[in-house]
Amino acid sequence: MGQSPRAILAVDPGRDKCGIAVVSFTGDALAREVVSAEQLAARAQELARAYDITVIVVGDRTGADAALHALEAALPQVEATAVDEHRSTEEARRLYFREHPPRGWRRLMPRGLQTPPHPYDDYVAVVLAQRFLRGRGEQAG
């Protein structure tokens, strides 16, 4: 397993779908995806095999309890904790548009009025991991 640096598995839980991100302890996203809620535990196990996951962070709103229980059962050796999700969707939308700036006529429209063209729960997961790191004082910047 030691092939990759220590990382965080962050989850934006939901009733139907979950955003998942693997984030380094420097705050960089190593992997991101959106999966169905039913696939969460199995996908978390796969990511834990591919990365050196040392902590799991889960957003504290919709679906948090079910996600935490599923992840703790799937990865009992990894510490799991809840993180405040307040306004994380807005922060994730800004992050999405920084990485994928609108093109064509959409670049003239204020970004605050735009919605990404597909689910971006994975970006919310990145935001949650970065909040966790800021709370622990481990992320530079």
Side-chain angles (χ1 to χ4, degrees):
M1 296 245 184
Q3 75 244 26
S4 58
R6 293 182 329 137
I8 298 165
L9 177 67
V11 177
D12 174 32
R15 285 186 186 90
D16 299 321
K17 62 183 175 10
C18 298
I20 300 178
V22 176
V23 178
S24 72
F25 274 77
T26 59
D28 298 317
L30 305 174
R32 282 189 320 266
E33 63 187 272
V34 178
V35 299
S36 71
E38 297 82 35
Q39 295 174 315
L40 175 61
R43 188 61 184 134
Q45 288 175 325
E46 292 169 2
L47 290 168
R49 282 192 293 273
Y51 297 92
D52 185 13
I53 302 297
T54 59
V55 66
I56 300 169
V57 298
V58 178
D60 66 353
R61 303 274 165 94
T62 305
D65 289 338
L68 270 170
H69 292 313
L71 292 164
E72 287 170 343
L75 298 167
Q77 73 281 10
V78 182
E79 169 195 355
T81 188
V83 175
D84 182 19
E85 268 192 74
H86 184 67
R87 300 183 75 101
S88 59
T89 301
E90 296 166 31
E91 196 174 330
R93 184 182 318 175
R94 287 190 298 273
L95 177 61
Y96 176 89
F97 284 124
R98 266 196 310 273
E99 291 187 12
H100 306 282
R103 299 184 188 278
W105 65 269
R106 289 190 176 273
R107 66 184 160 69
L108 303 173
M109 186 178 188
R111 289 186 186 170
L113 299 177
Q114 296 187 47
T115 301
H118 50 77
Y120 56 102
D121 306 71
D122 51 338
Y123 282 86
V124 177
V126 171
V127 166
L128 295 174
Q130 291 171 345
R131 285 182 179 183
F132 172 80
L133 289 170
R134 282 193 302 269
R136 288 182 47 164
E138 295 187 28
Q139 181 182 7

